[in-house]
Amino acid sequence: MALIVQKYGGTSVGDVDRIKNVARRSIAAQAAGHDVVVVVSAMSGETNRLLKLVSQISDRPSEREQDVVLATGEQVSIGLLALAIQAQGGKATSFLGHQVRITTDSTFSKARIKHIDAERIVEALKQKHIVVVAGFQGQDEQGNITTLGRGGSDTTGVALAVALKADACEIYTDVNGVYTTDPNVCPAARKLDRISYEEMLELASLGAKVLQIRSVEFAMKYKVPLWVKSSFTDDPGTLVCEEDKSMENVLVSGIAYDKNEAKIDINGVPDTPGVAAKIFGALSERNIGVDLIVQTASHQGRTDLTFTVGKTDLPHARELVERVAKEINAGAVETDVEVSKVSIVGVGMRNHSGVAAKMFQVLSGEGINIQLIATSEIKVSCLIHAKYTELAVRALHTAFGLDQPPVEG
Ligand code: ADP
Ligand code: ASP
Ligand code: MG
């Protein structure tokens, strides 16, 4: 007998029939002899609907109150799923994040899980209940409701698997597993049987929303084997696991894109020590993460500084940057939301050169201008105009040989 944590995303609980389907699947897992904990997201579109309501009231909402609103989506789906399991003859109990003591820090809208005290879950499992837990939410030390960032139910699933020492963690979604790139954008994308934690971490951090990055970090740290599967088929899915030698044979194993970044340009920044620290210090104080950064060569004591932040952080970031720009006597601040980051990822890149150059050639061959570049040992990212995203992904997929399965050996 094993303890299994299953997480079902928004599409998988998108309507009543789909909730009944999830109920059937969790009952089947229990009937196979397992203890079953099910984590669910809000019904598809619900979190966006709630965000829209918030934005109709305020363009700079209090993040504490926004989290109070956003956390309601998951409450509906856990209640409905528990009812569906009961209607099919099973035993089920639903819990909100705070009821199973998912304790987070107080960073509203992107809180981090610090501790889980899963006593009530263990108790309910002993009673042979299927335990249904709300994803995406927790509570800070002061008892405030927090949410874990978009896609955060994945992280709830993996964190619960760690806390409960589960034997398996299964992430059920609307595609058959992890693909070489988003199958909804690139018809030639291929499903991977396995992918290393490290590559998955890069893909997730670069925009492949099939798994939230924090969930992969947890899985990697605690060595939880993570299965990504479809809730609509019986495909075995993709196993996210430790790297082995054969994975290095593939140069580029995946391509990701991210349309959720915005570009900020600060013109005429005085080229003196401490200026970058001032700008980025102000942003990090407000928990605004900065991604790609480029500084042009100094010209008459001034440089241009360009970087990207998450689109949702742009209003806050712009205000801060404009304030600092005035303080340091820099020029105009410009922003652009029509950008997209396209990235290639592969552990095989460690031992090969020329991969970045090939990426630039492919993009230029399609007439796509590169605005910013970033590289690491196992990835290359380029910021381009958003309208070329799909074209870039497909061209890179073909050029790096991902349309065909790799040759064994
Ligand atoms: P859920 O609601 O189940 O959490 P998400 O929408 O968050 O589902 O994530 C699944 C989606 O991730 C897929 O529908 C697909 O469009 C997208 N995706 C992006 N990159 C990949 C990839 N490399 N492999 C699989 N899916 C991907
Ligand atoms: N409902 C949340 C979202 O839409 C969390 C999740 O789906 O994982 O981001
Ligand atoms: Mg998701």
Side-chain angles (χ1 to χ4, degrees):
M1 186 168 109
L3 197 165
I4 299 177
V5 175
Q6 300 187 325
K7 177 262 167 177
Y8 291 90
T11 326
S12 306
V13 293
D15 60 32
V16 166
D17 283 337
R18 288 181 174 183
I19 290 175
K20 290 178 182 171
N21 170 54
V22 171
R24 264 192 302 279
R25 283 179 171 259
S26 59
I27 289 175
Q30 191 188 46
H34 306 309
D35 283 337
V36 182
V37 175
V38 184
V39 174
V40 277
S41 300
M43 295 167 78
S44 58
E46 179 62 8
T47 309
N48 286 342
R49 188 185 72 85
L50 294 167
L51 264 175
K52 197 163 166 216
L53 289 178
V54 170
S55 73
Q56 283 165 358
I57 289 183
S58 168
D59 55 359
R60 297 276 311 279
S62 139
E63 287 179 325
R64 180 189 185 279
E65 303 313 327
Q66 180 166 293
D67 275 2
V68 170
V69 177
L70 293 193
T72 61
E74 272 69 11
Q75 179 162 352
V76 173
S77 33
I78 57 167
L80 290 176
L81 178 58
L83 288 169
I85 294 170
Q86 290 166 2
Q88 291 176 28
K91 289 199 277 185
T93 311
S94 69
F95 291 111
L96 291 166
H98 72 88
Q99 293 175 309
V100 287
R101 295 184 198 282
I102 298 180
T103 306
T104 70
D105 63 16
S106 304
T107 320
F108 298 111
S109 86
K110 41 190 156 191
R112 285 172 165 252
I113 296 177
K114 288 167 69 176
H115 178 71
I116 298 180
D117 171 9
E119 217 174 288
R120 287 187 79 179
I121 298 184
V122 174
E123 210 35 58
L125 288 174
K126 275 192 199 143
Q127 311 295 322
K128 293 295 160 206
H129 280 231
I130 294 176
V131 176
V132 183
V133 181
F136 180 55
Q137 55 174 262
Q139 189 183 43
D140 72 3
E141 308 272 8
Q142 288 74 43
N144 299 301
I145 291 172
T146 55
T147 66
L148 310 179
R150 298 308 304 268
S153 302
D154 297 332
T155 303
T156 308
V158 179
L160 273 176
V162 173
L164 293 162
K165 301 194 173 55
D167 301 282
C169 183
E170 301 168 344
I171 307 286
Y172 286 91
T173 184
D174 55 3
V175 289
N176 277 340
V178 179
Y179 282 68
T180 46
T181 191
D182 187 343
N184 290 317
V185 157
C186 179
R190 280 181 307 103
K191 198 202 77 176
L192 301 165
D193 294 331
R194 291 180 318 144
I195 183 166
S196 69
Y197 290 123
E198 208 179 340
E199 285 170 318
M200 193 61 239
L201 201 61
E202 283 285 0
L203 284 176
S205 77
L206 296 169
K209 67 172 181 162
V210 61
L211 287 174
Q212 197 201 32
I213 179 164
R214 288 283 296 145
S215 72
V216 188
E217 281 171 4
F218 261 110
M220 183 163 158
K221 180 164 172 197
Y222 295 99
K223 300 199 185 342
V224 181
L226 203 59
W227 285 96
V228 179
K229 295 165 182 257
S230 164
S231 61
F232 306 114
T233 70
D234 290 318
D235 193 285
T238 302
L239 178 63
V240 188
C241 59
E242 295 208 75
E243 180 181 333
D244 67 34
K245 274 269 158 271
S246 71
M247 292 177 178
E248 282 201 357
N249 295 338
V250 183
L251 195 58
V252 171
S253 49
I255 298 173
Y257 65 89
D258 191 347
K259 293 181 178 175
N260 289 316
E261 290 193 14
K263 189 173 72 160
I264 302 184
D265 284 304
I266 317 176
N267 296 302
V269 177
D271 195 10
T272 48
V275 162
K278 218 174 198 159
I279 295 167
F280 297 120
L283 291 166
S284 91
E285 252 171 47
R286 298 284 292 270
N287 283 310
I288 297 175
V290 171
D291 190 22
L292 309 180
I293 305 178
V294 165
Q295 188 175 11
T296 57
S298 179
H299 183 65
Q300 293 179 336
R302 290 189 178 260
T303 68
D304 292 338
L305 191 60
T306 305
F307 56 91
T308 60
V309 297
K311 262 188 191 148
T312 51
D313 284 330
L314 185 61
H316 278 129
R318 189 182 177 126
E319 198 179 280
L320 279 176
V321 168
E322 278 174 345
R323 207 188 62 218
V324 179
K326 245 191 214 127
E327 274 169 33
I328 59 175
N329 206 13
V333 174
E334 285 160 37
T335 59
D336 185 358
V337 291
E338 292 296 311
V339 293
S340 153
K341 183 173 69 174
V342 175
S343 311
I344 55 175
V345 171
V347 286
M349 269 185 225
R350 281 195 204 114
N351 311 319
H352 290 85
S353 54
V355 181
K358 180 164 172 182
M359 180 176 188
F360 306 152
Q361 269 163 18
V362 173
L363 294 178
S364 91
E366 298 293 337
I368 302 172
N369 183 40
I370 301 171
Q371 304 180 14
L372 296 176
I373 298 168
T375 62
S376 81
E377 227 191 354
I378 67 164
K379 71 122 200 259
V380 185
S381 299
C382 294
L383 196 77
I384 60 173
H385 194 291
K387 71 180 176 195
Y388 296 124
T389 312
E390 286 77 13
L391 174 64
V393 168
R394 288 179 200 156
L396 292 166
H397 199 268
T398 304
F400 283 101
L402 294 175
D403 295 354
Q404 285 85 38
V407 186
E408 293 294 321

